Amino acid sequence: MKKLTIRVSDTEHEQLVQFCKLTERTQNDVLRQCVRSLAVSGALNPIDSPAIPAAADLAGTARGS
C-alpha cells in the first residue's frame, strides 16, 4: 500500500471533515472512493459502486430523513 500526502485549502479540509461526519466514514475511505470513481476513457473504469452520495442526498441525511 502506498502513502499519499495532499495539500488542501482550509475550506476544502473543512468540507472533507464535514462530509466524513455526515457519512460516518474516514477521510481515507472517502478519498479512496474518489480515486476509485475516476474514469479515463479506455484506460480506467470506476470500480466502486455506489458512488459517493450527492450533496442533495447528504442534506436529507443531515436532517435525519
Side-chain angles (χ1 to χ4, degrees):
M1 186 171 286
K2 302 288 183 182
K3 180 179 178 179
L4 177 67
T5 302
I6 63 169
R7 295 174 195 262
V8 295
S9 70
D10 291 342
T11 301
E12 291 166 333
H13 182 257
E14 186 58 31
Q15 288 175 320
L16 177 60
V17 168
Q18 291 302 315
F19 184 89
C20 291
K21 285 180 183 177
L22 285 171
T23 59
E24 298 180 350
R25 295 167 60 194
T26 66
Q27 291 180 19
N28 281 331
D29 185 37
V30 170
L31 294 172
R32 280 193 303 264
Q33 176 71 38
C34 289
V35 171
R36 289 185 201 114
S37 69
L38 298 175
V40 178
S41 180
L44 298 173
N45 293 310
I47 58 174
D48 253 355
S49 181
I52 294 174
D57 296 338
L58 292 178
T61 303
R63 289 190 301 267
S65 301

Short mmCIF file of all heavy atoms in Angstrom, two decimals:
data_model
loop_
_atom_site.label_atom_id
_atom_site.label_comp_id
_atom_site.label_asym_id
_atom_site.label_seq_id
_atom_site.Cartn_x
_atom_site.Cartn_y
_atom_site.Cartn_z
N MET A 1 0.86 -1.17 0.00
CA MET A 1 0.00 0.00 0.00
C MET A 1 0.90 1.23 0.00
O MET A 1 1.89 1.28 0.70
CB MET A 1 -0.91 0.00 1.23
CG MET A 1 -1.91 1.12 1.21
SD MET A 1 -3.18 1.03 2.48
CE MET A 1 -4.18 -0.29 1.84
N LYS A 2 0.52 2.22 -0.78
CA LYS A 2 1.27 3.47 -0.89
C LYS A 2 0.67 4.53 0.02
O LYS A 2 -0.52 4.53 0.30
CB LYS A 2 1.24 4.00 -2.33
CG LYS A 2 1.80 3.04 -3.35
CD LYS A 2 3.28 2.95 -3.22
CE LYS A 2 3.83 2.03 -4.31
NZ LYS A 2 5.24 1.86 -4.22
N LYS A 3 1.52 5.45 0.46
CA LYS A 3 1.07 6.58 1.26
C LYS A 3 1.03 7.81 0.36
O LYS A 3 1.94 8.04 -0.44
CB LYS A 3 2.03 6.83 2.42
CG LYS A 3 1.62 7.98 3.30
CD LYS A 3 2.60 8.15 4.45
CE LYS A 3 2.19 9.34 5.29
NZ LYS A 3 3.11 9.53 6.43
N LEU A 4 -0.04 8.60 0.48
CA LEU A 4 -0.23 9.78 -0.33
C LEU A 4 -0.44 10.97 0.60
O LEU A 4 -1.22 10.90 1.54
CB LEU A 4 -1.46 9.60 -1.23
CG LEU A 4 -1.87 10.76 -2.09
CD1 LEU A 4 -0.80 11.02 -3.17
CD2 LEU A 4 -3.20 10.46 -2.75
N THR A 5 0.27 12.05 0.33
CA THR A 5 0.09 13.28 1.09
C THR A 5 -0.42 14.34 0.14
O THR A 5 0.15 14.53 -0.94
CB THR A 5 1.43 13.74 1.70
OG1 THR A 5 1.95 12.70 2.53
CG2 THR A 5 1.25 15.00 2.52
N ILE A 6 -1.50 15.02 0.52
CA ILE A 6 -2.05 16.07 -0.34
C ILE A 6 -2.18 17.36 0.46
O ILE A 6 -2.29 17.34 1.69
CB ILE A 6 -3.41 15.69 -0.95
CG1 ILE A 6 -4.47 15.50 0.14
CG2 ILE A 6 -3.30 14.44 -1.80
CD1 ILE A 6 -5.86 15.38 -0.40
N ARG A 7 -2.17 18.45 -0.26
CA ARG A 7 -2.38 19.76 0.35
C ARG A 7 -3.74 20.26 -0.11
O ARG A 7 -4.06 20.20 -1.29
CB ARG A 7 -1.30 20.74 -0.09
CG ARG A 7 0.07 20.36 0.40
CD ARG A 7 1.11 21.31 -0.19
NE ARG A 7 2.43 20.77 -0.05
CZ ARG A 7 3.28 21.10 0.92
NH1 ARG A 7 2.92 21.97 1.83
NH2 ARG A 7 4.47 20.55 0.98
N VAL A 8 -4.53 20.74 0.85
CA VAL A 8 -5.85 21.28 0.54
C VAL A 8 -6.01 22.61 1.28
O VAL A 8 -5.35 22.85 2.29
CB VAL A 8 -6.98 20.31 0.93
CG1 VAL A 8 -6.93 19.04 0.11
CG2 VAL A 8 -6.94 19.99 2.41
N SER A 9 -6.90 23.43 0.79
CA SER A 9 -7.19 24.70 1.46
C SER A 9 -7.94 24.41 2.77
O SER A 9 -8.47 23.31 2.97
CB SER A 9 -8.04 25.59 0.56
OG SER A 9 -9.34 25.06 0.44
N ASP A 10 -7.99 25.42 3.62
CA ASP A 10 -8.75 25.25 4.87
C ASP A 10 -10.20 24.93 4.58
O ASP A 10 -10.81 24.10 5.24
CB ASP A 10 -8.67 26.54 5.71
CG ASP A 10 -7.28 26.78 6.27
OD1 ASP A 10 -6.47 25.83 6.32
OD2 ASP A 10 -7.01 27.94 6.66
N THR A 11 -10.77 25.57 3.55
CA THR A 11 -12.16 25.33 3.18
C THR A 11 -12.35 23.90 2.70
O THR A 11 -13.32 23.24 3.09
CB THR A 11 -12.60 26.32 2.09
OG1 THR A 11 -12.44 27.65 2.58
CG2 THR A 11 -14.05 26.10 1.68
N GLU A 12 -11.45 23.43 1.85
CA GLU A 12 -11.55 22.05 1.34
C GLU A 12 -11.43 21.05 2.49
O GLU A 12 -12.17 20.05 2.53
CB GLU A 12 -10.47 21.79 0.30
CG GLU A 12 -10.69 22.55 -0.98
CD GLU A 12 -9.47 22.57 -1.88
OE1 GLU A 12 -8.32 22.45 -1.39
OE2 GLU A 12 -9.67 22.69 -3.11
N HIS A 13 -10.53 21.33 3.41
CA HIS A 13 -10.37 20.42 4.56
C HIS A 13 -11.64 20.38 5.39
O HIS A 13 -12.10 19.30 5.80
CB HIS A 13 -9.17 20.85 5.42
CG HIS A 13 -8.95 19.94 6.57
ND1 HIS A 13 -9.33 20.26 7.84
CD2 HIS A 13 -8.41 18.69 6.62
CE1 HIS A 13 -9.04 19.25 8.65
NE2 HIS A 13 -8.48 18.29 7.93
N GLU A 14 -12.23 21.54 5.63
CA GLU A 14 -13.47 21.59 6.41
C GLU A 14 -14.59 20.85 5.69
O GLU A 14 -15.39 20.15 6.33
CB GLU A 14 -13.87 23.04 6.69
CG GLU A 14 -15.06 23.16 7.62
CD GLU A 14 -14.86 22.49 8.97
OE1 GLU A 14 -13.72 22.43 9.47
OE2 GLU A 14 -15.87 22.00 9.52
N GLN A 15 -14.66 20.98 4.36
CA GLN A 15 -15.67 20.24 3.60
C GLN A 15 -15.47 18.73 3.76
O GLN A 15 -16.44 17.98 3.93
CB GLN A 15 -15.61 20.62 2.13
CG GLN A 15 -16.14 22.00 1.85
CD GLN A 15 -15.95 22.41 0.40
OE1 GLN A 15 -14.91 22.12 -0.20
NE2 GLN A 15 -16.94 23.07 -0.15
N LEU A 16 -14.23 18.29 3.70
CA LEU A 16 -13.94 16.87 3.86
C LEU A 16 -14.32 16.39 5.26
O LEU A 16 -14.96 15.35 5.43
CB LEU A 16 -12.46 16.59 3.58
CG LEU A 16 -12.00 15.15 3.78
CD1 LEU A 16 -12.75 14.20 2.86
CD2 LEU A 16 -10.50 15.05 3.55
N VAL A 17 -13.95 17.17 6.27
CA VAL A 17 -14.28 16.80 7.65
C VAL A 17 -15.79 16.70 7.83
O VAL A 17 -16.30 15.72 8.40
CB VAL A 17 -13.66 17.82 8.63
CG1 VAL A 17 -14.22 17.65 10.03
CG2 VAL A 17 -12.14 17.71 8.64
N GLN A 18 -16.54 17.69 7.32
CA GLN A 18 -17.99 17.67 7.46
C GLN A 18 -18.61 16.50 6.69
O GLN A 18 -19.54 15.85 7.18
CB GLN A 18 -18.59 19.00 6.99
CG GLN A 18 -18.27 20.16 7.91
CD GLN A 18 -18.75 19.93 9.33
OE1 GLN A 18 -19.87 19.48 9.57
NE2 GLN A 18 -17.88 20.22 10.28
N PHE A 19 -18.09 16.23 5.50
CA PHE A 19 -18.60 15.10 4.71
C PHE A 19 -18.39 13.80 5.48
O PHE A 19 -19.29 12.95 5.54
CB PHE A 19 -17.89 15.05 3.35
CG PHE A 19 -18.42 13.97 2.45
CD1 PHE A 19 -19.48 14.21 1.61
CD2 PHE A 19 -17.85 12.70 2.45
CE1 PHE A 19 -19.97 13.22 0.79
CE2 PHE A 19 -18.33 11.70 1.63
CZ PHE A 19 -19.40 11.95 0.80
N CYS A 20 -17.23 13.65 6.06
CA CYS A 20 -16.93 12.43 6.82
C CYS A 20 -17.85 12.28 8.02
O CYS A 20 -18.31 11.18 8.33
CB CYS A 20 -15.46 12.42 7.25
SG CYS A 20 -14.32 12.21 5.87
N LYS A 21 -18.14 13.38 8.70
CA LYS A 21 -19.07 13.33 9.83
C LYS A 21 -20.46 12.92 9.37
O LYS A 21 -21.10 12.06 9.99
CB LYS A 21 -19.13 14.68 10.53
CG LYS A 21 -17.92 14.99 11.37
CD LYS A 21 -18.05 16.35 12.03
CE LYS A 21 -16.79 16.68 12.82
NZ LYS A 21 -16.85 18.04 13.40
N LEU A 22 -20.92 13.53 8.28
CA LEU A 22 -22.27 13.23 7.78
C LEU A 22 -22.41 11.78 7.33
O LEU A 22 -23.46 11.17 7.51
CB LEU A 22 -22.61 14.15 6.60
CG LEU A 22 -22.96 15.59 6.95
CD1 LEU A 22 -23.06 16.43 5.69
CD2 LEU A 22 -24.26 15.64 7.73
N THR A 23 -21.36 11.24 6.73
CA THR A 23 -21.44 9.89 6.18
C THR A 23 -20.86 8.83 7.11
O THR A 23 -20.90 7.65 6.79
CB THR A 23 -20.70 9.82 4.83
OG1 THR A 23 -19.33 10.20 5.00
CG2 THR A 23 -21.37 10.74 3.80
N GLU A 24 -20.31 9.29 8.25
CA GLU A 24 -19.70 8.38 9.22
C GLU A 24 -18.63 7.51 8.57
O GLU A 24 -18.58 6.30 8.78
CB GLU A 24 -20.76 7.54 9.93
CG GLU A 24 -21.73 8.38 10.73
CD GLU A 24 -22.78 7.56 11.44
OE1 GLU A 24 -22.90 6.34 11.18
OE2 GLU A 24 -23.50 8.14 12.27
N ARG A 25 -17.79 8.16 7.77
CA ARG A 25 -16.70 7.47 7.09
C ARG A 25 -15.39 8.18 7.40
O ARG A 25 -15.39 9.36 7.75
CB ARG A 25 -16.94 7.47 5.58
CG ARG A 25 -18.18 6.67 5.20
CD ARG A 25 -18.62 6.90 3.79
NE ARG A 25 -17.59 6.54 2.83
CZ ARG A 25 -17.63 6.89 1.55
NH1 ARG A 25 -18.63 7.60 1.09
NH2 ARG A 25 -16.67 6.52 0.73
N THR A 26 -14.28 7.49 7.26
CA THR A 26 -12.98 8.10 7.49
C THR A 26 -12.56 8.91 6.28
O THR A 26 -13.05 8.70 5.16
CB THR A 26 -11.90 7.03 7.76
OG1 THR A 26 -11.71 6.26 6.57
CG2 THR A 26 -12.28 6.13 8.93
N GLN A 27 -11.63 9.84 6.49
CA GLN A 27 -11.09 10.62 5.39
C GLN A 27 -10.41 9.69 4.38
O GLN A 27 -10.56 9.87 3.17
CB GLN A 27 -10.10 11.66 5.90
CG GLN A 27 -10.78 12.76 6.69
CD GLN A 27 -9.82 13.80 7.21
OE1 GLN A 27 -8.71 13.94 6.73
NE2 GLN A 27 -10.25 14.54 8.22
N ASN A 28 -9.68 8.70 4.85
CA ASN A 28 -9.03 7.75 3.94
C ASN A 28 -10.06 7.05 3.07
O ASN A 28 -9.88 6.90 1.86
CB ASN A 28 -8.23 6.70 4.72
CG ASN A 28 -6.90 7.23 5.19
OD1 ASN A 28 -6.30 8.10 4.58
ND2 ASN A 28 -6.43 6.68 6.30
N ASP A 29 -11.15 6.60 3.67
CA ASP A 29 -12.19 5.89 2.92
C ASP A 29 -12.80 6.79 1.85
O ASP A 29 -12.98 6.37 0.71
CB ASP A 29 -13.26 5.40 3.89
CG ASP A 29 -14.32 4.55 3.21
OD1 ASP A 29 -13.97 3.77 2.30
OD2 ASP A 29 -15.50 4.67 3.60
N VAL A 30 -13.11 8.03 2.22
CA VAL A 30 -13.72 8.97 1.27
C VAL A 30 -12.76 9.26 0.12
O VAL A 30 -13.16 9.23 -1.05
CB VAL A 30 -14.13 10.27 1.99
CG1 VAL A 30 -14.53 11.35 0.99
CG2 VAL A 30 -15.27 10.00 2.97
N LEU A 31 -11.51 9.52 0.42
CA LEU A 31 -10.55 9.84 -0.63
C LEU A 31 -10.26 8.64 -1.53
O LEU A 31 -10.12 8.78 -2.75
CB LEU A 31 -9.26 10.41 -0.03
CG LEU A 31 -9.47 11.77 0.67
CD1 LEU A 31 -8.21 12.18 1.41
CD2 LEU A 31 -9.90 12.82 -0.32
N ARG A 32 -10.19 7.44 -0.95
CA ARG A 32 -10.01 6.24 -1.78
C ARG A 32 -11.20 6.06 -2.70
O ARG A 32 -11.05 5.69 -3.87
CB ARG A 32 -9.82 5.00 -0.90
CG ARG A 32 -8.40 4.85 -0.36
CD ARG A 32 -8.15 3.48 0.23
NE ARG A 32 -9.10 3.16 1.28
CZ ARG A 32 -8.87 3.34 2.58
NH1 ARG A 32 -7.72 3.81 2.99
NH2 ARG A 32 -9.78 3.03 3.46
N GLN A 33 -12.41 6.33 -2.19
CA GLN A 33 -13.62 6.24 -3.02
C GLN A 33 -13.54 7.21 -4.19
O GLN A 33 -13.89 6.87 -5.32
CB GLN A 33 -14.86 6.54 -2.18
CG GLN A 33 -16.16 6.56 -2.96
CD GLN A 33 -16.60 5.20 -3.41
OE1 GLN A 33 -16.43 4.25 -2.68
NE2 GLN A 33 -17.12 5.10 -4.61
N CYS A 34 -13.05 8.41 -3.93
CA CYS A 34 -12.91 9.41 -5.01
C CYS A 34 -11.95 8.91 -6.08
O CYS A 34 -12.24 9.02 -7.28
CB CYS A 34 -12.41 10.73 -4.44
SG CYS A 34 -13.63 11.62 -3.45
N VAL A 35 -10.84 8.34 -5.68
CA VAL A 35 -9.87 7.83 -6.65
C VAL A 35 -10.48 6.68 -7.44
O VAL A 35 -10.35 6.61 -8.66
CB VAL A 35 -8.57 7.38 -5.94
CG1 VAL A 35 -7.65 6.64 -6.90
CG2 VAL A 35 -7.86 8.58 -5.33
N ARG A 36 -11.18 5.78 -6.76
CA ARG A 36 -11.79 4.64 -7.43
C ARG A 36 -12.85 5.06 -8.44
O ARG A 36 -13.11 4.35 -9.41
CB ARG A 36 -12.42 3.69 -6.42
CG ARG A 36 -11.41 2.94 -5.61
CD ARG A 36 -12.13 1.92 -4.72
NE ARG A 36 -11.27 1.56 -3.62
CZ ARG A 36 -11.50 1.84 -2.34
NH1 ARG A 36 -12.61 2.46 -1.98
NH2 ARG A 36 -10.64 1.49 -1.42
N SER A 37 -13.48 6.21 -8.21
CA SER A 37 -14.55 6.65 -9.10
C SER A 37 -14.04 7.36 -10.35
O SER A 37 -14.82 7.67 -11.24
CB SER A 37 -15.51 7.58 -8.34
OG SER A 37 -14.88 8.81 -8.06
N LEU A 38 -12.74 7.59 -10.42
CA LEU A 38 -12.18 8.26 -11.60
C LEU A 38 -12.27 7.35 -12.82
O LEU A 38 -12.10 6.14 -12.73
CB LEU A 38 -10.70 8.60 -11.37
CG LEU A 38 -10.41 9.57 -10.23
CD1 LEU A 38 -8.90 9.71 -10.06
CD2 LEU A 38 -11.06 10.91 -10.48
N ALA A 39 -12.54 7.95 -13.95
CA ALA A 39 -12.59 7.19 -15.19
C ALA A 39 -11.84 7.96 -16.26
O ALA A 39 -12.03 9.16 -16.43
CB ALA A 39 -14.03 6.95 -15.62
N VAL A 40 -10.97 7.26 -16.97
CA VAL A 40 -10.27 7.83 -18.11
C VAL A 40 -10.65 6.98 -19.31
O VAL A 40 -10.49 5.77 -19.29
CB VAL A 40 -8.74 7.83 -17.90
CG1 VAL A 40 -8.03 8.37 -19.12
CG2 VAL A 40 -8.37 8.61 -16.65
N SER A 41 -11.18 7.62 -20.33
CA SER A 41 -11.70 6.89 -21.48
C SER A 41 -10.74 5.81 -21.96
O SER A 41 -9.60 6.10 -22.32
CB SER A 41 -11.99 7.87 -22.61
OG SER A 41 -12.49 7.18 -23.72
N GLY A 42 -11.19 4.58 -21.96
CA GLY A 42 -10.41 3.46 -22.46
C GLY A 42 -9.32 2.96 -21.54
O GLY A 42 -8.68 1.98 -21.83
N ALA A 43 -9.10 3.64 -20.40
CA ALA A 43 -8.00 3.22 -19.53
C ALA A 43 -8.49 2.74 -18.17
O ALA A 43 -8.07 1.69 -17.70
CB ALA A 43 -7.02 4.37 -19.35
N LEU A 44 -9.34 3.50 -17.54
CA LEU A 44 -9.82 3.15 -16.21
C LEU A 44 -11.34 3.18 -16.19
O LEU A 44 -11.96 4.03 -16.83
CB LEU A 44 -9.31 4.15 -15.17
CG LEU A 44 -7.82 4.25 -14.98
CD1 LEU A 44 -7.50 5.41 -14.04
CD2 LEU A 44 -7.26 2.96 -14.42
N ASN A 45 -11.92 2.30 -15.46
CA ASN A 45 -13.36 2.30 -15.24
C ASN A 45 -13.61 2.42 -13.75
O ASN A 45 -12.87 1.86 -12.96
CB ASN A 45 -14.00 1.00 -15.75
CG ASN A 45 -13.91 0.88 -17.25
OD1 ASN A 45 -14.26 1.80 -17.96
ND2 ASN A 45 -13.41 -0.24 -17.72
N PRO A 46 -14.65 3.16 -13.36
CA PRO A 46 -14.96 3.21 -11.93
C PRO A 46 -15.17 1.81 -11.40
O PRO A 46 -15.87 1.00 -12.01
CB PRO A 46 -16.26 4.02 -11.89
CG PRO A 46 -16.26 4.81 -13.16
CD PRO A 46 -15.55 3.94 -14.17
N ILE A 47 -14.51 1.48 -10.29
CA ILE A 47 -14.60 0.13 -9.75
C ILE A 47 -15.45 0.05 -8.49
O ILE A 47 -15.68 -1.02 -7.98
CB ILE A 47 -13.21 -0.46 -9.45
CG1 ILE A 47 -12.44 0.42 -8.46
CG2 ILE A 47 -12.44 -0.66 -10.73
CD1 ILE A 47 -11.12 -0.17 -8.01
N ASP A 48 -15.90 1.20 -8.01
CA ASP A 48 -16.70 1.20 -6.79
C ASP A 48 -18.13 1.60 -7.09
O ASP A 48 -18.38 2.47 -7.89
CB ASP A 48 -16.15 2.16 -5.76
CG ASP A 48 -15.47 1.45 -4.62
OD1 ASP A 48 -15.50 0.23 -4.58
OD2 ASP A 48 -14.90 2.15 -3.77
N SER A 49 -19.02 0.96 -6.40
CA SER A 49 -20.42 1.28 -6.52
C SER A 49 -21.06 1.06 -5.16
O SER A 49 -20.72 0.10 -4.48
CB SER A 49 -21.05 0.36 -7.55
OG SER A 49 -22.40 0.65 -7.73
N PRO A 50 -21.91 1.87 -4.66
CA PRO A 50 -22.43 3.06 -5.29
C PRO A 50 -21.45 4.22 -5.17
O PRO A 50 -20.53 4.18 -4.37
CB PRO A 50 -23.70 3.35 -4.50
CG PRO A 50 -23.41 2.84 -3.14
CD PRO A 50 -22.53 1.62 -3.36
N ALA A 51 -21.69 5.25 -5.94
CA ALA A 51 -20.85 6.44 -5.92
C ALA A 51 -21.05 7.20 -4.62
O ALA A 51 -22.01 6.96 -3.89
CB ALA A 51 -21.18 7.33 -7.11
N ILE A 52 -20.17 8.14 -4.35
CA ILE A 52 -20.32 8.99 -3.19
C ILE A 52 -21.64 9.74 -3.33
O ILE A 52 -21.94 10.26 -4.40
CB ILE A 52 -19.13 9.97 -3.09
CG1 ILE A 52 -17.84 9.19 -2.80
CG2 ILE A 52 -19.37 11.03 -2.02
CD1 ILE A 52 -16.59 10.03 -2.84
N PRO A 53 -22.43 9.81 -2.26
CA PRO A 53 -23.74 10.44 -2.35
C PRO A 53 -23.65 11.90 -2.79
O PRO A 53 -22.70 12.59 -2.44
CB PRO A 53 -24.29 10.38 -0.93
CG PRO A 53 -23.43 9.42 -0.20
CD PRO A 53 -22.14 9.31 -0.94
N ALA A 54 -24.64 12.33 -3.54
CA ALA A 54 -24.71 13.72 -3.98
C ALA A 54 -25.03 14.61 -2.78
O ALA A 54 -25.55 14.15 -1.78
CB ALA A 54 -25.79 13.87 -5.05
N ALA A 55 -24.74 15.89 -2.93
CA ALA A 55 -24.99 16.84 -1.84
C ALA A 55 -26.46 16.81 -1.41
O ALA A 55 -26.77 16.92 -0.23
CB ALA A 55 -24.57 18.24 -2.26
N ALA A 56 -27.37 16.65 -2.35
CA ALA A 56 -28.79 16.60 -2.02
C ALA A 56 -29.10 15.41 -1.11
O ALA A 56 -29.90 15.50 -0.20
CB ALA A 56 -29.63 16.54 -3.29
N ASP A 57 -28.45 14.28 -1.38
CA ASP A 57 -28.64 13.10 -0.54
C ASP A 57 -28.14 13.36 0.87
O ASP A 57 -28.73 12.92 1.84
CB ASP A 57 -27.93 11.89 -1.13
CG ASP A 57 -28.49 11.47 -2.46
OD1 ASP A 57 -29.66 11.81 -2.76
OD2 ASP A 57 -27.75 10.83 -3.25
N LEU A 58 -27.03 14.06 0.99
CA LEU A 58 -26.46 14.35 2.30
C LEU A 58 -27.33 15.31 3.09
O LEU A 58 -27.42 15.20 4.30
CB LEU A 58 -25.06 14.95 2.16
CG LEU A 58 -24.01 13.98 1.63
CD1 LEU A 58 -22.68 14.71 1.50
CD2 LEU A 58 -23.85 12.80 2.55
N ALA A 59 -27.99 16.23 2.41
CA ALA A 59 -28.88 17.17 3.10
C ALA A 59 -29.98 16.40 3.81
O ALA A 59 -30.32 16.71 4.94
CB ALA A 59 -29.45 18.17 2.11
N GLY A 60 -30.51 15.38 3.18
CA GLY A 60 -31.53 14.55 3.82
C GLY A 60 -30.98 13.79 4.99
O GLY A 60 -31.62 13.65 6.03
N THR A 61 -29.73 13.32 4.88
CA THR A 61 -29.08 12.60 5.98
C THR A 61 -28.89 13.51 7.17
O THR A 61 -29.10 13.13 8.31
CB THR A 61 -27.71 12.05 5.52
OG1 THR A 61 -27.92 11.21 4.39
CG2 THR A 61 -27.05 11.26 6.62
N ALA A 62 -28.46 14.75 6.91
CA ALA A 62 -28.20 15.69 7.98
C ALA A 62 -29.47 16.04 8.76
O ALA A 62 -29.43 16.29 9.95
CB ALA A 62 -27.57 16.98 7.43
N ARG A 63 -30.61 16.05 8.06
CA ARG A 63 -31.88 16.35 8.73
C ARG A 63 -32.49 15.12 9.38
O ARG A 63 -33.51 15.22 10.04
CB ARG A 63 -32.86 16.93 7.70
CG ARG A 63 -32.51 18.32 7.24
CD ARG A 63 -33.65 18.91 6.43
NE ARG A 63 -33.98 18.12 5.26
CZ ARG A 63 -33.47 18.32 4.05
NH1 ARG A 63 -32.62 19.28 3.86
NH2 ARG A 63 -33.83 17.57 3.03
N GLY A 64 -31.89 13.96 9.17
CA GLY A 64 -32.42 12.75 9.75
C GLY A 64 -33.49 12.10 8.92
O GLY A 64 -34.28 11.30 9.41
N SER A 65 -33.60 12.45 7.66
CA SER A 65 -34.62 11.90 6.78
C SER A 65 -34.29 10.47 6.40
O SER A 65 -33.19 10.09 6.24
CB SER A 65 -34.73 12.71 5.50
OG SER A 65 -35.06 14.05 5.80
#
